[in-house]
Amino acid sequence: MDLLNIINNLLKIIGDWIYGLVHGLVGNLLVTDLITMGLAAIILCTFAALSFMGLTYAERKIVARIQDRIGPNQAGPFGLLVPIADGIKMFTKEDTTPTAADRWVYNIAPLVIATAALTAYAVLPLAPGVVGTNLNVGVVFTIAIGSGSVVAILMAGWGSNNKYALLGAFRTVAQLIGYEVPMLLNLIPVVLIAGSLSLVDIVNVQSTLNGSPGIPFVLYFPVSALIFLISGIAETARSPFDLLEAESEIVAGFHVEYSGMKFALFFLGEYVNALAVSFMFATLFLGGYNGPIFPPYVWLLIKAAAVFTILMWLRGTLPRIRVDQMHTMNWKFFVPISALNLIILLLVAKIFQPGNAAMPWVTPGVQAMATAITTLIPFLAGLSIASRRLRSQRDAAEALAETRRAANRAAVTTSMGGAH
Amino acid sequence: METAVRTDFGFVGVMFVTAFLLMAATLYAASLLRPKKPNKEKLSTYECGMETVGDTWVQFRSQYYIFALVFVLFDVEVLLLFPIAVAFGSLSLFATLQAMLFVVILLAALLFAWRKGVLEWK
Amino acid sequence: MTITLQTIIFALLSVVVLGSALFVVTTRNLFHAALMLILSFFGVAGLYVLLESGFFAVAQVLVYIGAISILFIFAVMLTRGMVAMPRVNAQAQLAALVSVLLFVVIVVIVNPTALSIKVLPGASERVLGGIPWQFTTVTTITDSYIKQFGASLVDGSAYLLPFLLAAVLLDIALAGAVQVARERRPAEVLAERELMAAEAAEEQQREQALDTAPETVLAADHH
């Protein structure tokens, strides 16, 4: 029992031990605080950077398997040393700054994107009592800090003084700001039930709710969870939303001029953001570190890894979507459906609020069922309307092409007949 | 298990500074390790393999501006919904209806933009 | 006034905010101006943190850096000659006057001398090593201020009307911008040009008519 307790609270115990150690050495509370905060920040950054290396390898291997390839297999056993080889290459590759570039803007952009991506980890609850800082606005903070990447991308695009880079940056930013809207809209349902913007509170609500066993929010809001995940993928600009690096159109998007370590920082920003989205999804909708048997931090890692696997799966399977399709899907489907969902949810969650004296049979479970069902219906209806409209549009385009082909064929036949 | 944790922005500041310094250190380390043999060709803008024609910093289309404007509208309005969502548990039905009305106004703006055709990407 | 960690951070943030704001108005490169404006906004977010209102700090970052600045940069890309703008224009003096007036109004309304500097009870326990984290407070701010803020937004006796009006105002802003900046189809542009040409022709005809027979027409008008 005691051992179990130690394993479950391992992170907390180590943290307290380090704090005590530093306090014993320094004595001053302020300095102790600063040192331990700095250590925690370094540990978090290192964790993110190491998981970046691990994820690049895992992604290559898994996507390769999905596409019936072998993937990296030369450097080390099973190609395990590939991330290290990558690192050596990134460190020793010559780094050019184009003469035409806007030097300061060009050089700071990768720093901005990496810093913004890493800072998001400051509010992530890793285990009970283990969190960088339990901000009472944690949810909005994680989205707000994402603005850093938007600014960095614009800086990179402008600073490169390259037409492809600037075009790529503008495209990317239009995509990022567009998909931020459904992301924010689908966070609100979670906050409605949790009654707090703190990530720790949101996790706690999912473990126990008014005395009854907690329900992960994915069961409350399956539609919101789905839209949040998809817009999260779009937010990190990963496949199938990787329009920014459409090689055939704009070479590699906003980072076309970057090489060496600066490019690596953009790459790191992308992966760290994708991992942050996985962690956020696990925390907001899957109950965070809650789970039976295993220690909390293991549960969090399992859940985040599962979400990231879905991201890799999508990357290995889906083709890149077109820019107009992407915007249409966002502004004409996700945003209206999310807003509609929100209107319904406000009403339904209010009517089926547990603790109402007139309706004692309403428990959190009943509330969850009500919200899930009432949001699924308009979503499915919207989906079927959208698919029917798209199909009829496609059929019309097909029919038009067919008549043109027939006309061409007829014209060719008659002209050939005339030649005879 | 309830334990006291930090709740202020101090750690955010420390995290921000640490991340910035770590990344800057990485860039600096790389600048010591890598070769530096620039030449004119290498430092030219990578566009088509030919001399770049014309300015990059030119006028862009106004559609980006409209998209950003629609985004600003939604961003501000959604942000105002967050505190209401926090207070949701103790709101009266009347207050909830007002919040719904707010979302309806938001939706109306979207439908207006949709009807005007500014949501089409061309 | 004692020097605390807060005053040091406040001084640093002020330098960042004012310095970058100065850069914004003096640079000739509009894009650099926009970037420096972002830095200034960021510093203001820091000031909100010092005032213990985390929600507004985050709102500042989300709305001003994440949305308004992007809008500015997109607007910069709509201008011509964005890397070498004139430093002053015809409205500079007017702008200076308005800024000074605004400053005076803010000082009069806020009245800093009336602000009581008091440290909240239990403030020294709010970490950062025994140094009180509070800076200045007018009213007691607790962690539930977000909840109070949200409740008062939809409370009929509090801020319900401004709240809904803000939504309507944003709608109107969008409608206006769409009307002005909308990219029109070539056919629409052509139709508009034709209409203008027709109007111009009509105008010309009327003028010609006036030129040829001024007295009779004027006489007819007078009756």
Side-chain angles (χ1 to χ4, degrees):
Chain A
M1 189 60 216
D2 209 26
L3 184 69
L4 206 62
N5 208 4
I6 290 176
I7 292 174
N8 279 343
N9 295 306
L10 194 62
L11 293 181
K12 178 77 187 152
I13 291 166
I14 293 176
D16 287 348
W17 177 69
I18 292 178
Y19 189 91
L21 200 69
V22 175
H23 190 224
L25 279 175
V26 183
N28 185 329
L29 261 177
L30 173 67
V31 181
T32 314
D33 249 4
L34 282 178
I35 290 176
T36 46
M37 283 199 288
L39 280 177
I42 289 172
I43 291 170
L44 274 175
C45 291
T46 317
F47 165 74
L50 284 181
S51 53
F52 158 62
M53 289 175 78
L55 285 176
T56 50
Y57 171 77
E59 175 142 32
R60 278 186 209 174
K61 205 75 185 170
I62 290 174
V63 171
R65 283 300 176 188
I66 288 172
Q67 295 170 341
D68 205 9
R69 295 183 281 117
I70 296 172
N73 64 347
Q74 295 296 310
F78 309 106
L80 268 172
L81 295 181
V82 159
I84 305 212
D86 276 346
I88 294 171
K89 181 197 163 185
M90 290 298 184
F91 265 104
T92 53
K93 189 173 168 65
E94 180 172 1
D95 190 11
T96 57
T97 305
T99 7
D102 194 340
R103 293 193 75 89
W104 270 96
V105 179
Y106 174 86
N107 284 323
I108 290 178
L111 271 176
V112 173
I113 201 167
T115 310
L118 288 174
T119 310
Y121 284 73
V123 293
L124 197 71
L126 300 169
V130 182
V131 55
T133 170
N134 177 18
L135 289 187
N136 57 358
V137 288
V139 177
V140 193
F141 172 81
T142 48
I143 306 287
I145 205 72
S147 318
S149 354
V150 178
V151 174
I153 287 168
L154 277 175
M155 284 170 78
W158 168 277
S160 304
N161 195 358
N162 177 316
K163 292 179 192 69
Y164 294 115
L166 196 59
L167 271 174
F170 268 59
R171 267 195 192 190
T172 312
V173 169
Q175 170 184 343
L176 293 192
I177 60 175
Y179 276 89
E180 203 175 307
V181 175
M183 223 175 161
L184 282 166
L185 275 173
N186 287 301
L187 277 174
I188 292 177
V190 171
V191 181
L192 279 186
I193 304 297
S196 169
L197 291 173
S198 144
L199 285 171
V200 175
D201 287 353
I202 288 173
V203 171
N204 285 342
V205 166
Q206 292 177 81
S207 68
T208 53
L209 198 67
N210 303 336
S212 43
I215 304 159
F217 281 131
V218 69
L219 297 180
Y220 268 94
F221 317 110
V223 175
S224 291
L226 183 67
I227 297 179
F228 180 86
L229 185 62
I230 295 174
S231 28
I233 299 172
E235 238 352 62
T236 54
R238 285 170 56 87
S239 179
F241 295 97
D242 53 346
L243 299 128
L244 74 164
E245 45 190 71
E247 298 89 349
S248 47
E249 300 161 33
I250 47 174
V251 198
F254 63 89
H255 53 56
V256 56
E257 291 287 0
Y258 287 89
S259 62
M261 208 56 215
K262 287 186 201 130
F263 171 75
L265 287 192
F266 277 113
F267 207 46
L268 177 132
E270 183 194 326
Y271 271 87
V272 168
N273 271 333
L275 189 65
V277 166
S278 312
F279 271 119
M280 281 291 285
F281 188 81
T283 306
L284 291 169
F285 290 103
L286 301 181
Y289 49 67
N290 292 309
I293 306 170
F294 297 121
Y297 44 91
V298 173
W299 264 113
L300 184 65
L301 285 180
I302 290 174
K303 286 171 182 172
V307 179
F308 202 87
T309 312
I310 295 177
L311 262 59
M312 290 195 266
W313 184 12
L314 291 177
R315 181 175 202 157
T317 321
L318 293 176
R320 178 183 300 141
I321 73 170
R322 236 165 44 204
V323 64
D324 61 321
Q325 292 169 334
M326 178 201 61
H327 285 294
T328 305
M329 181 159 93
N330 181 37
W331 290 109
K332 299 189 177 173
F333 187 68
F334 282 170
V335 176
I337 280 285
S338 308
L340 194 66
N341 259 349
L342 195 57
I343 296 173
I344 296 169
L345 272 177
L346 279 167
L347 192 65
V348 171
K350 194 78 227 171
I351 292 171
F352 291 94
Q353 195 167 25
N356 187 341
M359 296 190 287
W361 47 273
V362 174
T363 59
V366 174
Q367 194 186 20
M369 236 153 73
T371 53
I373 291 169
T374 46
T375 50
L376 263 176
I377 292 167
F379 177 71
L380 293 177
L383 207 59
S384 85
I385 291 171
S387 70
R388 203 169 303 146
R389 274 196 67 177
L390 286 178
R391 195 174 304 131
S392 74
Q393 275 176 13
R394 206 162 49 220
D395 287 349
E398 195 69 25
L400 187 67
E402 190 51 48
T403 52
R404 282 204 186 134
R405 266 200 293 276
N408 278 349
R409 225 175 284 131
V412 171
T413 334
T414 46
S415 70
M416 280 173 77
H420 269 288
Chain B
M1 197 176 108
E2 261 334 288
T3 38
V5 290
R6 257 176 251 288
T7 57
D8 56 47
F9 273 84
F11 184 69
V12 173
V14 172
M15 186 79 184
F16 187 82
V17 173
T18 312
F20 189 84
L21 290 181
L22 275 182
M23 292 301 126
T26 323
L27 274 187
Y28 182 70
S31 78
L32 296 180
L33 286 172
R34 67 180 176 229
K36 194 164 169 60
K37 296 191 194 72
N39 61 44
K40 193 164 173 290
E41 191 69 8
K42 221 185 251 176
L43 295 183
S44 63
T45 301
Y46 177 70
E47 271 173 15
C48 300
M50 286 184 274
E51 292 275 315
T52 300
V53 181
D55 264 337
T56 306
W57 299 324
V58 290
Q59 270 183 297
F60 261 67
R61 339 177 18 190
S62 64
Q63 188 169 23
Y64 286 104
Y65 182 78
I66 290 285
F67 263 65
L69 198 76
V70 179
F71 166 67
V72 169
L73 175 103
F74 271 85
D75 210 35
V76 173
E77 302 203 1
V78 173
L79 191 75
L80 285 177
L81 280 170
F82 272 100
I84 298 175
V86 172
F88 182 73
S90 51
L91 289 186
S92 64
L93 191 62
F94 171 75
T96 313
L97 288 176
Q98 299 311 320
M100 285 164 66
L101 177 62
F102 186 75
V103 186
V104 169
I105 297 175
L106 184 74
L107 209 50
L110 184 74
L111 291 182
F112 173 80
W114 191 337
R115 282 291 297 275
K116 283 284 177 187
V118 293
L119 299 182
E120 316 281 343
W121 191 265
K122 284 171 291 219
Chain C
M1 192 165 141
T2 52
I3 291 180
T4 63
L5 197 59
Q6 282 69 39
T7 41
I8 296 169
I9 296 175
F10 177 76
L12 285 176
L13 285 176
S14 310
V15 170
V16 169
V17 170
L18 294 177
S20 50
L22 199 65
F23 191 94
V24 171
V25 290
T26 50
T27 182
R28 301 187 58 194
N29 185 328
L30 278 187
F31 189 82
H32 290 177
L35 286 184
M36 279 298 162
L37 192 64
I38 292 174
L39 188 60
S40 189
F41 286 152
F42 194 71
V44 173
L47 292 181
Y48 279 121
V49 169
L50 281 184
L51 290 170
E52 293 273 326
S53 19
F55 182 76
F56 297 101
V58 172
Q60 169 85 10
V61 173
L62 190 70
V63 172
Y64 281 87
I65 298 182
I68 308 260
S69 310
I70 306 301
L71 189 70
F72 278 172
I73 290 176
F74 282 175
V76 163
M77 300 309 290
L78 290 177
T79 57
R80 248 179 259 124
M82 58 201 79
V83 288
M85 296 300 275
R87 209 167 270 138
V88 254
N89 65 11
Q91 291 171 333
Q93 283 159 355
L94 191 68
L97 187 70
V98 171
S99 320
V100 171
L101 276 180
L102 195 64
F103 180 72
V104 170
V105 167
I106 289 173
V107 167
V108 168
I109 291 178
V110 176
N111 192 8
T113 52
L115 285 181
S116 56
I117 298 177
K118 58 185 173 195
V119 173
L120 292 185
S124 56
E125 288 155 30
R126 291 175 64 96
V127 293
L128 275 180
I131 291 188
W133 184 228
Q134 269 70 20
F135 186 56
T136 59
T137 54
V138 187
T139 51
T140 311
I141 302 167
T142 58
D143 271 359
S144 65
Y145 71 95
I146 300 176
K147 198 175 251 180
Q148 290 172 14
F149 175 53
S152 64
L153 278 183
V154 284
D155 183 353
S157 58
Y159 298 106
L160 178 59
L161 194 63
F163 173 63
L164 290 180
L165 276 181
V168 174
L169 179 73
L170 286 167
D171 278 18
I172 294 169
L174 179 78
V178 164
Q179 214 57 43
V180 172
R182 184 164 61 103
E183 280 186 13
R184 286 162 303 176
R185 285 188 294 278
E188 277 182 89
V189 177
L190 284 180
E192 202 166 279
R193 271 192 205 146
E194 256 169 42
L195 194 70
M196 279 164 71
E199 274 176 5
E202 209 172 289
E203 183 82 1
Q204 212 177 0
Q205 249 175 7
R206 204 180 303 137
E207 268 175 24
Q208 266 178 359
L210 281 171
D211 280 346
T212 47
E215 284 90 22
T216 49
V217 174
L218 284 176
D221 271 359
H222 274 291
H223 280 285

